[in-house]
Amino acid sequence: MYGDEATIRRILTELGDTWAVVGLPSNRRRAAYGVAEVLRRFGKRVVPVHPKAETVHGERGYASLADIPFEVDVVDVFVNSDLAGQVADEAVAKGARAVWFQLGVIDEAAYDRTGAAGLDMVMDRCPAIEIPALGRRAG
């Protein structure tokens, strides 16, 4: 497992509320769109990062993490595993506090690099599943 319960709780409750969601399109049928909606319901600011830089959920989009002109707390990654490691490295360069790879997104080398850089990281999990469950789990 790539992220224990304590790390999941820390990312969701302690590390900040500005989440950059890499791979978030304006297409309502995409999983990233629904996950972003759940994060917003739980008080997170969701910043879309997508090559089209579209506005999603009323938040201006950016083509890359480097283009975001403010601090980002968590980078949520909705790209294929073969691209995810590069996004994790960009999150480290951006100064994010944590990286979250979505269900099915796995890159063990990126997990190791991100942890070595001092960031919390979760892989192959979904925050839209984990955040509602926080209240049902012991802290």
Side-chain angles (χ1 to χ4, degrees), residues 86-118:
Q86 178 182 335
V87 176
D89 296 339
E90 291 169 8
V92 170
K94 177 72 181 160
R97 300 173 76 191
V99 175
W100 191 299
F101 281 9
Q102 283 293 328
L103 289 170
V105 180
I106 299 171
D107 181 330
E108 292 180 5
Y111 186 84
D112 293 342
R113 287 193 312 273
T114 302

Side-chain angles (χ1 to χ4, degrees), residues 120-135:
D120 280 330
M121 185 166 178
V122 172
M123 228 169 24
D124 194 28
R125 302 287 285 266
C126 180
I129 294 169
E130 301 297 335
I131 200 167
L134 284 177

Side-chain angles (χ1 to χ4, degrees), residues 6-7 14 18 33 35 44-45 57 72 84 110 121-122 125 138:
T7 301
E14 298 175 21
T18 301
Y33 191 93
V35 168
K44 306 301 182 190
R45 177 184 184 188
H57 295 299
V72 169
M121 185 166 178
V122 172
R125 302 287 285 266

Side-chain angles (χ1 to χ4, degrees), residues 10-109:
R10 186 170 45 255
I11 291 172
L12 292 173
T13 65
E14 298 175 21
L15 295 187
D17 291 330
T18 301
W19 284 53
V21 180
V22 178
L24 175 56
S26 61
N27 183 341
R28 294 174 182 266
R29 291 174 291 202
R30 300 297 303 217
Y33 191 93
V35 168
E37 221 167 19
V38 171
L39 290 170
R40 290 182 68 241
R41 253 195 326 257
F42 280 87
K44 306 301 182 190
R45 177 184 184 188
V46 175
V47 181
V49 179
H50 190 277
K52 295 181 181 178
E54 300 171 302
T55 296
V56 182
H57 295 299
E59 186 76 39
R60 177 184 169 192
Y62 297 90
S64 72
L65 287 174
D67 291 342
I68 301 173
F70 48 83
E71 291 186 11
V72 169
D73 300 309
V74 181
V75 176
D76 188 7
V77 182
F78 267 98
V79 300
N80 293 328
S81 295
D82 58 340
L83 302 173
Q86 178 182 335
V87 176
D89 296 339
E90 291 169 8
V92 170
K94 177 72 181 160
R97 300 173 76 191
V99 175
W100 191 299
F101 281 9
Q102 283 293 328
L103 289 170
V105 180
I106 299 171
D107 181 330
E108 292 180 5

